[in-house]
Amino acid sequence: MRFRLGADEGETRPSLVLISSAIAAPDEADALADVDTAEAWFDAVAAALPPGELGDDLGVDAEALDALRQVRGAVEQILLGRPRASSLAVVNRYDTESAPSWGLDLDGRGDLQVSRRLWGPGVESWLGTVAADCIDLVRSGGRDRLTTCATPTCRVVLLPEHHRRRYCSAACAHRTRQARYHQSRSPRP
Ligand SMILES: [Zn+2]
C-alpha cells in the first residue's frame, strides 16, 4: 500500500499520496512506471475519495501518465527540495484550471443545492486537487513539518498531525517495535 487512510493515522494529503507513488518502501516499484500500473494505482486512489469527487472517467492514458509524472516532479521539488519557477508554474496552472470547485444548483423543487463542479476527467481533476493541496501545505506552514516515516527502511513522507505520530502506518510502527524488542532480547557479545 502506498497511501493510508484511517482515523488513527491522521489526514492523508493528496500531494503526499502522489509523492509516495515513487517514494515508498524499497520493495515497492514506481507506481507510475507504465500506463497499466498507473491505472491500477489511480483506481485505488480514487476509491479512497468520496463518491463524485472525480466523476466516472478514471482512465489513465499516455497523456494522463505524463501529467501525473510532471505534477509529481513539481510537487516533490516544491515540498521536499529547492523549487524552480517551472515547477511553480505547473502547480499554479493545475490549481487554476483543474481543481474541482463547488457550484450552486436548484433541484426539481426549486431548493438550493451545492454540487461538485469538475473541470476535466479523473486524472486532471485529481491533479487539480493535488496542486491546491500543495499550495495549502506551503501557505499553512505544513511544508516545514514534513518528515519521513521513522522506520529506517521506509521513505514515505508524512505530515505529523501531532508530535507522537512518527510512522506512516500501524504496520510500520509494529515492524519497528518488534525489531527493537528482538534486539533487546538478543544476547550481547
Ligand atoms: Zn513507513
Side-chain angles (χ1 to χ4, degrees):
M1 267 299 270
R2 292 166 188 283
F3 53 93
R4 289 94 182 162
L5 292 172
D8 58 327
E9 288 157 18
E11 197 186 348
T12 299
R13 305 293 299 238
S15 343
L16 303 185
V17 170
L18 182 57
I19 288 175
S20 293
S21 68
I23 304 175
D27 54 327
E28 292 181 347
D30 184 352
L32 303 184
D34 58 54
V35 168
D36 288 339
T37 56
E39 185 145 47
W41 175 82
F42 189 64
D43 270 348
V45 171
L49 295 173
E53 187 65 15
L54 298 179
D56 298 325
D57 183 358
L58 300 177
V60 178
D61 56 13
E63 201 184 331
L65 180 59
D66 277 349
L68 282 163
R69 287 181 182 154
Q70 188 195 24
V71 176
R72 182 173 73 183
V75 166
E76 207 171 356
Q77 200 184 74
I78 291 167
L79 296 181
L80 305 177
R82 278 182 64 85
R84 291 191 200 150
S86 56
S87 297
L88 309 190
V90 168
V91 165
N92 284 336
R93 180 164 55 81
Y94 272 96
D95 174 59
T96 308
E97 294 177 6
S98 308
S101 59
W102 294 100
L104 296 176
D105 289 313
L106 295 175
D107 67 10
R109 291 180 307 179
D111 289 332
L112 260 183
Q113 274 199 330
V114 181
S115 58
R116 212 64 170 134
R117 300 162 91 195
L118 303 172
W119 307 105
V123 166
E124 198 180 323
S125 300
W126 189 68
L127 289 177
T129 303
V130 167
D133 179 62
C134 175
I135 293 172
D136 183 66
L137 281 172
V138 176
R139 190 186 59 81
S140 65
R143 177 182 183 269
D144 306 325
R145 290 188 288 122
L146 292 175
T147 176
T148 49
C149 174
T151 296
T153 52
C154 180
R155 295 186 298 141
V156 168
V157 179
L158 14 134
L159 175 67
E161 302 296 312
H162 47 73
H163 298 304
R164 280 178 303 160
R165 187 171 176 236
R166 297 171 54 229
Y167 300 97
C168 70
S169 63
C172 257
H174 180 70
R175 206 176 300 146
T176 302
R177 265 186 233 118
Q178 237 178 7
R180 280 212 199 103
Y181 176 74
H182 287 303
Q183 224 167 25
S184 71
R185 282 173 58 98
S186 62
R188 282 163 203 275

